Structure formats: C-alpha cells, structure tokens
Amino acid sequence: MPLTPVIKLGVLVMRIAIIALGSQGDVQPYIALGKGLKAAGYAVRLLTHENFGGLATSHGLDFCPMQGNVQELIETPEMRELSEKGNFITMTLKTAKETERVSIQWAQSGLEACRGIDLLIAGVGGLYLALSFAEKLEIPLLPAFVFPFTPTRTFPGILFPQSLNRWGGTVNWLSHQVLRQIIWQGSRSGDTAARQQVLDLSPSPFFGPHQSSYLRRLPTLYGFSPAVLAKPSDWHNADVTGYWFLDAASDWTPPTDLVNFLEAGSPPVYIGFGSMGNRNPEETAELVLQALEKTGQRAILLAGWSGMQREKMPDNAFLIKSVPHAWLFPRVAAVVHHGGAGTTAAGLRAGVPTIIIPFFGDQGFWGQRVADLGVGTAPIPRKQLTAERLAQAIQTVVGDRTMQRQAASLGEKIRSENGVANAVAIIKNLEPVLTTVPI
C-alpha cells in the first residue's frame, strides 16, 4: 500500500522509497541509509527480499517484501559451485533466470509500494526496476551505490584486473561500459517483461537505459570512504559520502563462550566468507585449520551462509554462526574474508590488517585496493586458496608492523567520517530541487 503521508508541525514530510536487492551485505548499507533518513524526519520504505524483513523493521523502516530469498538461492548446490569457481558472468546468467522468473511480481508489488513516493533511491541491484518506476510514476530517482558504477578513466571497472590501468584512460572507461552491459544484459529480459506486462511501458534500449534522463537529474551517491577510494576527477555529478554502516542494536550482548575465548589468549584472527557458498564446507574448515596450525595463531571462524563447519574444533579456534562485525573486528588481530564491500568496510574501520579471498564480482577490486593502500596482503582468489598461501598471508599481517600502523591510521580516518549523515545532508539540500526538477 502507498506510504501514508506524515505531517509534522504542519509540514508534509517527504516520503522516500529505497530499493535494495542482493545479499545481506548488499542490503545492509541501505538499511543504514534509511535509518539515517528516518532519524532526520523522512518517511522511509525499504523494498527488499522477504528474508530481510525482520532486519528492516528492527531498525524502524517500513518494509515492502520483494519475492525471493537470496540465502536460499546462494545455498543451492549449483550456486555454491558457481560462487566457488568465481565466474561472475556465469553467475549473472544464473541469477538472470531467477530475476526473470520473479520480475513480474517485483514490478507489481513495487509499483504499489512506490505510489505517492516523493523520491526513489536505488542501488545497482534495484537500479533498472527503480528506473521503470521513476518513469511510470514520474518520481525523481537518486542513484546510490556501494561500488564504482559510473564510468571513469581513472581506474578499471570492478570486474577487470587493475593492471589494465597501464593501458590508459580510454581502456579504463571502456571496461566500465562492459561492466554495465554484463549487469544490464543479465537483467534485460526480466526488465522488458515487467515494463510491458505490468507497467505498460516500451522496452528499454537494447544496450540499456544508462543514458536515461532520470539517471542524470540528481547526483549519484557513493557509500564508501574517500580515504579508501577518492572521487575520480571525471565524476562530475557524484558524491563520495563515506561508508553507510549499520551497527548492531545497542542491547546486543555477545555469547559468554565467545567472550571467554577472546579473553583466553592473544587477539585471534577472524576468518569468514559471509554469504559466499562452498561446495565442501567441511573441506574449507579443514583448510583454514591447517593454516592456523602452520602459523600457531588463534582464530574465530564465522560459519555464515557458506556453512563452514566441523564437528570438533581445536582449542585455538572458535566457530560461531554470526556476530556483528562492528563489535568483533576491533577485538581481533586481523580479518580474513571474501571482500564484500560491507565486510571490507567493517575491517578497515576497525583499523586491523585485511586478507581478502575474493570469490567474484567487486571482491577482487576491494582486495586490490586493500593491498594498494598497504593495509593488507595481495588478494588470494578463492579457487587458488591453499593452506600454505593462507598461512603465509596470516604470518604477514600479524608480523608486519608497518602494515598494522597503516591499517590503524586508515581506521581512524574512516571512524572520523559519517557517511550516512553526509548522504542525508545531500538529500536534504536537494529538497528544493526535487519539487522543481522537470519530469
């Protein structure tokens, strides 16, 4: 149903809808942004997958369920195998089939949820759906991304080796265009079905709606730190605000056995792969434990969606299903993870060195940024991961004092930023424009 108009002190409050689709790491930054907007007095509705309803409502957001459960999809044997192989194009084709199957339902429920909305905000996962709603309902659209999606000559697109940079700006710019096409072509059939069957709109151009006026009217917000990735000089209508962190509820308390493990010895290393699937979770756990044995380090292992598991853990390792990164990461010596944008941000904010094991997508990009900033090792692609390589990387991050100092310094910079507040301030300054922007 339409978001009910709210009047405070005689003023009609702006109603904002945020469309965020993907894994939990993809969705959490938009919950943080929505929470900040609500605290600033806006009425906020989040359109996201059914399985994130509890998370959205626990932070006070109005929730519109979009059919589908990303965790169930990722945990299928086929997706576990594809994520481990790390072929983003193959994964995109698989998820495109799922998207096409639910695109009609997304358009139907989303259209009703966006009626009466004053502003749409969308990440890459919900961008094309949001563009269609903006066109159908004549609503301003504010793109808000957590990884680079605006073409630039400064660095290559996130799916490409950063070594492409040596070929110059034109090659970089073309790589971003290819990235856009990979994502768009995976969405095109579902987008066309939704536009024709539900929204009564003509199909978007074959090469995508990236030149749509709806994408150029308002600036693009980027929810990452300028200390991690500075705004390129050719991003003329974009703002890098700082990360959009969603911290645990203030009443969250850690399990007693976890606290006891932390206090029983030196700070452990954190190892977890979040929503990334593994065909053999027991084998992955064994690889990690072998690496720990080689280094003599203690570790906290996060089972996560990957299901990393083992019946009996050695004394130097503690396995837990989930734990807030903001609480745990400042208490560990280093973090080892898949390189998702949110997990990378949390590790960098904690000021500890990072080891990234990228599976696919933007994870390798963030892994290379970590290495280039001197706050972690070079990324180790998941399909190349061995106990020996992991052990060597762990030895590096726990023994390299320069790396530790640089990680601590970067953490201080990130903690001094308030990405959500910066984004909210930009949106607040746009209010006069939103009522005058021609549709």
Side-chain angles (χ1 to χ4, degrees), residues 10 78 103 154 159 177 185 233 288 291 297 329 389 400 403 407:
E78 183 179 2
S103 61
T154 304
L159 297 185
Q177 299 295 344
Q185 296 302 332
S233 60
V288 167
Q297 294 295 318
F329 284 5
R389 286 176 176 163
D400 190 326
M403 181 182 292

Side-chain angles (χ1 to χ4, degrees), residues 243-273:
Y243 289 113
W244 305 329
F245 287 113
L246 183 69
D247 291 330
S250 58
D251 60 352
W252 184 85
T253 55
T256 302
D257 52 354
L258 172 60
V259 174
N260 291 340
F261 179 81
L262 284 167
E263 294 177 348
S266 59
V269 173
Y270 164 89
I271 303 175
F273 303 120

Side-chain angles (χ1 to χ4, degrees), residues 251-422:
D251 60 352
W252 184 85
T253 55
T256 302
D257 52 354
L258 172 60
V259 174
N260 291 340
F261 179 81
L262 284 167
E263 294 177 348
S266 59
V269 173
Y270 164 89
I271 303 175
F273 303 120
S275 59
M276 298 300 99
N278 283 298
R279 285 175 293 173
N280 301 300
E282 295 89 353
E283 184 180 292
T284 300
E286 284 301 323
L287 183 155
V288 167
L289 294 176
Q290 289 174 23
L292 293 176
E293 185 176 0
K294 291 175 182 296
T295 63
Q297 294 295 318
R298 291 166 14 103
I300 293 175
L301 279 58
L302 184 77
W305 291 8
S306 66
M308 188 161 54
Q309 57 189 270
R310 192 175 192 258
E311 284 190 17
K312 182 174 176 55
M313 301 297 291
D315 292 340
N316 67 330
F318 185 93
L319 181 66
I320 190 167
K321 186 174 182 180
S322 65
V323 61
H325 293 160
W327 182 88
L328 179 62
F329 284 5
R331 294 170 167 81
V332 301
V335 292
V336 182
H337 56 81
H338 59 294
T343 311
T344 301
L348 296 179
R349 179 174 66 162
V352 296
T354 297
I355 301 169
I356 288 183
I357 314 295
F359 286 61
F360 59 85
D362 61 331
Q363 297 163 8
F365 175 84
W366 295 119
Q368 191 59 53
R369 284 304 302 152
V370 162
D372 290 346
L373 291 166
V375 296
T377 62
I380 308 170
R382 174 62 183 90
K383 56 188 175 182
Q384 298 176 18
L385 183 65
T386 63
E388 291 73 19
R389 286 176 176 163
L390 180 57
Q392 184 177 8
I394 290 174
Q395 291 283 48
T396 297
V397 295
V398 299
D400 190 326
R401 301 305 179 197
T402 299
M403 181 182 292
Q404 292 167 6
R405 286 194 295 271
Q406 290 176 165
S409 175
L410 179 58
E412 288 180 7
K413 292 177 183 177
I414 292 173
R415 291 192 297 273
S416 71
E417 301 166 352
N418 190 330
V420 168
N422 292 336

Side-chain angles (χ1 to χ4, degrees), residues 14 119 142 218-219 425-435:
M14 182 183 291
L119 175 66
L142 183 72
L218 299 178
I426 290 168
I427 293 169
K428 195 169 187 63
N429 288 336
L430 287 173
E431 283 189 32
V433 179
L434 294 176
T435 58

Side-chain angles (χ1 to χ4, degrees), residues 104-248:
I104 300 300
Q105 290 89 341
W106 283 1
Q108 290 170 338
S109 56
L111 180 63
E112 291 306 309
C114 291
R115 291 191 188 278
I117 291 296
D118 302 302
L119 175 66
L120 277 171
I121 298 176
V124 171
L127 180 63
Y128 303 123
L129 190 63
L131 273 167
S132 295
F133 292 155
E135 183 179 343
K136 177 67 177 179
L137 300 174
E138 298 188 338
I139 306 171
L141 170 63
L142 183 72
F145 306 141
V146 295
F147 60 79
F149 197 63
T150 303
T152 176
R153 297 175 182 274
T154 304
F155 52 79
I158 60 169
L159 297 185
F160 296 86
Q162 296 307 292
S163 58
L164 276 184
N165 217 1
R166 67 175 178 266
W167 296 102
T170 300
V171 172
N172 288 343
W173 185 85
L174 287 172
S175 71
H176 288 276
Q177 299 295 344
V178 173
L179 166 67
R180 285 184 163 191
Q181 284 305 304
I182 291 172
I183 295 176
W184 162 246
Q185 296 302 332
S187 307
R188 184 167 60 86
S189 60
D191 184 76
T192 297
R195 289 175 68 90
Q196 292 183 323
Q197 299 179 39
V198 179
L199 304 175
D200 193 28
L201 298 171
S202 59
S204 293
F206 180 84
F207 291 109
H210 303 110
Q211 299 306 313
S212 169
S213 58
Y214 284 92
L215 283 176
R216 299 197 303 270
R217 290 170 181 164
L218 299 178
T220 297
L221 301 187
Y222 278 102
F224 49 73
S225 169
V228 175
L229 187 64
K231 175 184 171 180
S233 60
D234 53 359
W235 279 8
H236 302 302
N237 194 30
D239 290 289
V240 177
T241 67
Y243 289 113
W244 305 329
F245 287 113
L246 183 69
D247 291 330

